[in-house]
């Protein structure tokens, strides 16, 4: 069995050459979730993904853009029936975005409520400095089995992590999360059966160039080392996790 790699959070449309990076996912056989930051990008992403075997598009409204374009929630709602995957959505309480936090919460609540009503959605969720609030909102508005949440680049506490596991969340893990000591221990403690891999390219770098989906091999190797497991076994487990996640919903 050929083991396919998974990049569950990548901004393919923000690379300098969207068609070329998409072809690269196909060539390398990396199952890639093409997240978007604005629903304006949905039609093109949906079209490009439809021409591929490996790429799936996600309908997003990034919390860092909410302050400047809250009205785009209407466009997001319009496209939701076309989307199985949703993201990038969530909250950002970092210093640059804290001023719009109340507005972000209003938008995210609408996102969760619409997903719950529609059913069958899988969400890639941003939670910078806001893991607890994100989990409060997921618990209130989108508990399983109404939807499935994948916490993208999770940097919450170990208590937040346990709560996310109890709420049925998955976690997409990238190389940066495993590079420093700060979040490494939390990641290592996450249950293997809830892990996916991601790059968050092109916002992360490797060898001085934007990370590419095929670079998730680095995440697999780092997870394997941290867990004293064989890389192939971790890759097989992650692939099985994606299948299970999709079957659960
Ligand atoms: Mn992202």
């Amino acid at each position: 069995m050929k083991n396919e790699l998974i990049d569950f959070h990548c901004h393919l449309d923000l690379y300098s050459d969207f068609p070329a990076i998409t072809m690269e996912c196909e060539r390398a056989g990396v199952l890639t979730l093409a997240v978007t930051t604005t629903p304006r990008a949905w039609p093109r992403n949906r079209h490009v993904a439809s021409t591929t075997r490996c790429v799936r598009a996600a309908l997003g409204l990034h919390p860092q853009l909410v302050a400047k374009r809250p009205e785009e929630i209407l466009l997001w709602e319009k496209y939701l029936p076309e989307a199985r995957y949703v993201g990038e959505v969530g909250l950002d309480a970092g210093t640059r975005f804290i001023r719009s936090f109340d507005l972000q919460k209003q938008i995210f609540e609408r996102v969760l409520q619409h997903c719950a009503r529609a059913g069958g959605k899988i969400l890639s969720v941003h939670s910078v400095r806001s893991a607890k609030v994100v989990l409060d909102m997921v618990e209130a508005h989108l508990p399983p089995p109404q939807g499935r949440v994948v916490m993208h680049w999770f940097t919450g506490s170990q208590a937040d992590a346990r709560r996310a596991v109890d709420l049925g969340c998955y976690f997409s893990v990238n190389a940066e999360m495993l590079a420093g000591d700060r979040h490494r221990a939390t990641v290592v403690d996450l249950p293997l059966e809830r892990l996916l891999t991601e790059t968050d390219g092109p916002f992360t770098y490797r060898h001085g160039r934007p990370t590419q989906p095929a670079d998730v091999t680095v995440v697999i190797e780092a997870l394997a080392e941290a867990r004293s497991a064989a890389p192939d076994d971790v890759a097989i487990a992650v692939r099985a996790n994606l299948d299970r996640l999709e079957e659960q919903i």
Side-chain angles (χ1 to χ4, degrees):
M1 183 183 87
K2 182 179 177 294
N3 193 51
E4 291 164 313
L5 293 166
I6 293 161
D7 182 354
F8 204 73
H9 187 109
C10 188
H11 299 265
L12 292 183
D13 64 350
L14 300 183
Y15 285 78
S16 57
D17 191 333
F18 181 19
I21 191 75
T22 302
M23 288 300 293
E24 182 55 25
C25 295
E26 290 288 277
R27 191 200 59 75
V30 184
L31 300 180
T32 304
L33 187 67
V35 292
T36 55
T37 57
T38 156
R40 289 177 187 278
W42 172 252
R44 184 166 183 229
N45 274 265
R46 182 186 184 223
H47 170 71
V48 168
S50 74
T51 67
T52 73
R53 186 185 71 83
C54 293
V55 178
R56 296 136 199 210
L59 172 64
L61 180 50
H62 198 293
Q64 295 176 352
L65 298 186
V66 158
K68 289 203 175 117
R69 39 178 95 180
E71 74 288 350
E72 289 194 2
I73 187 66
L74 297 171
L75 194 58
W76 183 93
E77 287 170 6
K78 179 186 149 191
Y79 289 137
L80 185 62
E82 301 175 5
R84 169 138 162 91
Y85 299 91
V86 168
E88 182 165 0
V89 293
L91 298 177
D92 193 314
T95 48
R96 285 170 61 208
F97 305 102
I98 188 70
R99 270 184 301 172
S100 65
F101 199 62
D102 285 337
L103 185 59
Q104 291 178 43
K105 283 195 282 189
Q106 288 172 34
I107 299 287
F108 188 46
E109 185 174 313
R110 268 172 85 161
V111 165
L112 294 173
Q113 287 173 337
H114 277 275
C115 288
R117 209 169 299 148
K121 309 298 186 193
I122 299 172
L123 289 72
S124 182
V125 175
H126 177 113
S127 59
V128 167
R129 293 197 189 179
S130 56
K132 186 187 174 298
V133 182
V134 164
L135 294 173
D136 287 343
M137 292 179 69
V138 167
E139 185 171 24
H141 304 294
L142 191 70
Q146 286 168 289
R148 280 287 173 179
V149 168
V150 179
M151 301 294 282
H152 140 69
W153 203 327
F154 178 82
T155 54
S157 67
Q158 300 223 355
D160 293 331
R162 278 191 294 273
R163 186 165 165 231
V165 170
D166 290 343
L167 284 170
C169 298
Y170 284 67
F171 302 83
S172 55
V173 172
N174 63 51
E176 304 266 321
M177 294 167 71
L178 287 154
D181 289 336
R182 195 151 157 245
H183 302 298
R184 189 183 165 87
T186 306
V187 173
V188 172
D189 277 352
L190 294 172
L192 179 61
E193 66 270 18
R194 294 294 181 84
L195 297 184
L196 299 174
T197 47
E198 67 163 49
T199 60
D200 203 12
F203 297 114
T204 54
Y205 286 83
R206 179 164 165 70
H207 302 320
R209 52 133 177 100
T211 309
Q212 299 203 354
D215 293 323
V216 286
T217 48
V218 176
V219 188
I220 294 289
E221 283 159 16
L223 278 171
E225 195 202 329
R227 306 179 70 95
S228 305
D232 280 353
D233 291 344
V234 173
I236 289 166
V238 167
R239 182 72 187 82
N241 292 346
L242 181 60
D243 285 343
R244 186 176 347 97
L245 171 65
E246 294 186 330
E247 281 161 14
Q248 278 172 340
I249 192 85

